[in-house]
Amino acid sequence: MSTSVQTSTRIYLSPPHLGDAERTFVAEAFDSNWIAPLGPNVDGFERDLQVYTGAAHAAALSSGTAALHLALILLGVKTGDEVVCSSFTFSASANPILYEGATPVFVDSEADTWNIDPGALSDALEDRQKKGKLPKAVIAVHLYGMPAKMVEIMDICGHYGVPLIEDAAEALGSTYHGKAMGTFGALGILSFNGNKIITTSGGGALISDDADWIQKSRFLATQARDPAPHYQHSQVGYNYRLSNVSAGIGRGQMQVLDDRVAARRANTERYSAFLAPYEGVTFQAEPDGMFSNRWLSTILVDPGRTGGVTREDLRLALDADNIEARPLWKPLHLQPIFAAYPYYGDGLSERLFDRGLCLPSGSNLSDEEFSRVTRVLKGVLEGRG
Ligand SMILES: *Cc1c(COP(=O)(O)O)cnc(C)c1O
């Protein structure tokens, strides 16, 4: 980028999209000097999350990663334990396993949802049990907003008695048979990072029907202070709470969440309508009973059927026009930091990584920007790229 002169403004993959009310909630925090630490916006945001997801309890935290870390601590994950995690995901899904000194066990994806494959999960649990001990938890991710196959996954976790954590960082607004993602497992985590479907500029949440766990998570997230007039500690604490200012942004964003979901879904629809005539470019269908927020619009590009055009050809052409697109997540079992850990699967996630591309997916992607993106795609796919 540094050597070429860019005349067009950059189109981002998933930029923030604020509504009208965020400023009002943040201004309230300023006017009442409730800048820190907790306060009415945090309480209000947690209530909004409970109402929206149907979870009985929610704790607003500093990030989705922090939420996942606390979830593992609540389930008693310690040094030497194993935790199963979907391989096809962002590194933040698995990093907290390492924070606790535990061992990640990676499981491949299945083709319908690209999420953890129930068959491979079952193999993994059976094999880990045979090798000596069961993992302490399973982390299932709802990637790009698409729900994982929860009925099968919960059956398997139930059969082995291993608690399920849902990483719903990308799936706020997604449902499976009408039930919100993050509310199926023992604990669910959400993210409000700047690139997610709604943002608090940075933040996350832990949700659960278990009041004790959420109460404990708030205790751990505020330095684990025992009740005493002085600072008294009998456990390791963390500084993981969301600020009252950030939570104000979150309250405003919750008012427009359904609009954001509708806009993201409309993006997937207009891309798929536009790309339908092009052989070898395919979209992930929404399986029966599943409702995806379509956080990112993703395509698979099969060079055997596109006349040789690869996803990288498309990505580079978009980049040359100052448009951000990105390959699908690189499977964690291929990442240098995770490569040494056990992995169960037949490589589907590797093939998705080779062929997949995320297109600009902002809920504020204008018609003009959409035309710019599709002009470039058309040029490459029709051999004029
Ligand atoms: C964003 C994300 C996270 C981490 O959330 P942060 O709020 O950025 O810490 C975890 N898992 C997945 C799948 C994510 O996309």
Side-chain angles (χ1 to χ4, degrees):
M1 281 305 100
S2 55
T3 53
S4 70
V5 178
Q6 292 293 346
T7 49
S8 51
T9 52
R10 186 153 177 81
I11 300 177
Y12 291 100
L13 193 68
S14 183
H17 183 185
L18 296 184
D20 299 324
E22 288 83 344
R23 253 177 220 276
T24 311
F25 287 114
V26 171
E28 271 172 30
F30 275 73
D31 292 343
S32 60
N33 197 33
W34 225 317
I35 301 302
L38 299 168
N41 280 337
V42 173
D43 296 341
F45 186 45
E46 289 178 344
R47 251 189 332 269
D48 290 347
L49 291 171
Q50 286 163 26
V51 170
Y52 190 88
T53 61
H57 304 279
L61 300 168
S62 54
S63 71
T65 311
L68 203 44
H69 188 195
L70 293 180
L72 294 176
I73 293 168
L74 291 169
L75 293 177
V77 173
K78 292 193 180 65
T79 306
D81 287 336
E82 294 184 345
V83 175
V84 171
C85 185
S86 188
S87 181
F88 193 43
T89 183
F90 179 42
S91 63
S93 300
N95 278 333
I97 303 170
L98 300 187
Y99 300 168
E100 285 307 290
T103 301
V105 173
F106 293 111
V107 172
D108 203 10
S109 299
E110 46 78 21
D112 297 335
T113 69
W114 302 354
N115 292 313
I116 196 163
D117 177 0
L121 172 62
S122 182
D123 293 346
L125 291 176
E126 190 185 335
D127 192 51
R128 298 327 286 177
Q129 188 173 45
K130 247 190 242 150
K131 288 194 160 73
K133 68 176 174 190
L134 276 169
K136 270 279 180 67
V138 169
I139 300 170
V141 186
H142 309 298
L143 213 63
Y144 303 118
M146 185 61 76
K149 293 193 167 167
M150 294 314 292
V151 172
E152 294 86 340
I153 293 165
M154 296 215 305
D155 250 21
I156 294 161
C157 287
H159 174 80
Y160 286 94
V162 179
L164 176 66
I165 300 170
E166 289 177 79
D167 178 345
E170 302 178 1
L172 181 60
S174 300
T175 58
Y176 186 34
H177 293 293
K179 188 171 158 65
M181 306 327 293
T183 65
F184 289 81
L187 293 150
I189 75 108
L190 303 170
S191 168
F192 314 110
N193 195 43
N195 59 345
K196 296 301 189 326
I197 192 150
I198 60 165
T199 184
T200 57
S201 118
L206 187 65
I207 60 176
S208 179
D209 285 340
D210 189 310
D212 292 341
W213 271 343
I214 296 301
Q215 198 184 353
K216 180 94 189 283
S217 76
R218 292 194 181 111
F219 165 76
L220 292 171
T222 46
Q223 306 288 17
R225 282 186 65 187
D226 294 336
H230 57 277
Y231 278 77
Q232 174 80 17
H233 304 278
S234 43
Q235 286 180 69
V236 175
Y238 302 85
N239 186 1
Y240 277 175
R241 272 298 235 168
L242 189 67
S243 88
N244 197 54
V245 175
S246 298
I249 305 174
R251 286 178 87 181
Q253 289 271 275
M254 287 304 285
Q255 295 185 2
V256 292
L257 174 53
D258 283 334
D259 297 339
R260 301 299 181 256
V261 172
R264 299 257 178 178
R265 287 175 61 84
N267 280 337
T268 298
E269 262 168 46
R270 56 181 169 166
Y271 278 125
S272 73
F274 174 82
L275 289 166
Y278 296 101
E279 181 95 16
V281 180
T282 51
F283 280 81
Q284 187 185 42
E286 201 169 42
D288 268 357
M290 294 189 184
F291 179 88
S292 169
N293 67 10
R294 297 289 194 182
W295 171 56
L296 296 184
S297 288
T298 57
I299 54 173
L300 292 180
V301 182
D302 176 358
R305 292 167 58 216
T306 56
V309 173
T310 64
R311 74 113 154 93
E312 202 52 11
D313 295 331
L314 294 174
R315 192 189 68 76
L316 290 170
L318 290 166
D319 189 51
D321 206 39
N322 208 14
I323 298 168
E324 184 182 28
R326 202 173 291 155
L328 299 186
W329 296 119
K330 179 172 178 171
L332 297 186
H333 70 273
L334 301 182
Q335 294 284 3
I337 187 147
F338 295 121
Y341 298 110
Y343 160 74
Y344 294 82
D346 65 6
L348 179 84
S349 57
E350 298 173 28
R351 296 192 287 282
L352 293 171
F353 172 59
D354 283 341
R355 292 185 173 184
L357 190 68
C358 305
L359 298 173
S361 302
S363 46
N364 43 9
L365 185 75
S366 69
D367 291 346
E368 196 189 319
E369 289 172 323
F370 177 76
S371 301
R372 247 179 79 196
V373 175
T374 49
R375 240 190 337 265
V376 173
L377 296 175
K378 181 182 160 84
V380 179
L381 290 165
E382 295 182 1
R384 290 181 276 102

